[in-house]
Amino acid sequence: MVDRAKIVETAIKNFGCVDIATNNAGISRDRSIPKISERDWDFVHHVRLKGTFKDTLAAWLHMKKQNYGRIFITSSDSGMYGNFGQASCSAPKMVLIRSVNTVAIEEEKYNIHCNVIIHPAANRLIQDILII
């Protein structure tokens, strides 16, 4: 289990503060809807959504105290457009896009800004399934 608070404490101890947090929580189970197990579906959502929430919260708690912070959360082109066999992956990444908008509104009063980065993940691991 990742101790996110300890990661933030270590950064503060070594650098004095946490001004920027980048969150790229992700895991993949490339299977179409009829072929993915509920266990795999839940696992992907747990990592991509709850992992992002917990990482963001750990940094945010410090950023609120210092009244400053920048949070960047990654989504993906699959989250924006979809891709065959990636419903379990694209659904939480699309949710992150909407969530970032809400976090940005909620945290503006603490001078914490939140943005989403939507990156194309073209690499050897998915070269045979990428359709965009």
Side-chain angles (χ1 to χ4, degrees), residues 2-39:
V2 176
D3 187 345
R4 286 138 170 113
K6 193 169 202 159
I7 293 169
V8 171
E9 288 172 20
T10 300
I12 294 167
K13 181 180 174 184
N14 288 290
F15 304 107
C17 64
V18 173
D19 292 331
I20 299 171
T22 302
N23 190 316
N24 190 26
I27 187 121
S28 184
R29 298 292 186 264
D30 292 324
R31 294 180 191 93
S32 61
I33 290 289
K35 293 182 180 178
I36 192 165
S37 69
E38 187 172 346
R39 182 176 181 216

Side-chain angles (χ1 to χ4, degrees), residues 21 31 47 49 55 65-66 78 93 99 117 131:
R31 294 180 191 93
V47 169
L49 290 177
D55 289 346
K65 290 178 190 173
Q66 67 186 23
S78 181
K93 287 297 188 176
S99 297
I117 299 168
I131 60 173

Side-chain angles (χ1 to χ4, degrees), residues 76-127:
S76 67
D77 51 358
S78 181
M80 278 294 291
Y81 306 112
N83 206 354
F84 184 84
Q86 294 194 334
S88 65
C89 300
S90 62
K93 287 297 188 176
M94 186 59 192
V95 169
L96 290 176
I97 294 169
R98 299 281 52 101
S99 297
V100 165
N101 292 345
T102 300
V103 172
I105 292 166
E106 291 176 350
E107 307 318 324
E108 187 175 34
K109 64 185 172 188
Y110 302 113
N111 196 28
I112 300 170
H113 298 278
C114 189
N115 294 78
V116 67
I117 299 168
I118 301 170
H119 62 86
N123 60 50
R124 289 182 299 149
L125 294 173
I126 64 166
Q127 67 186 3

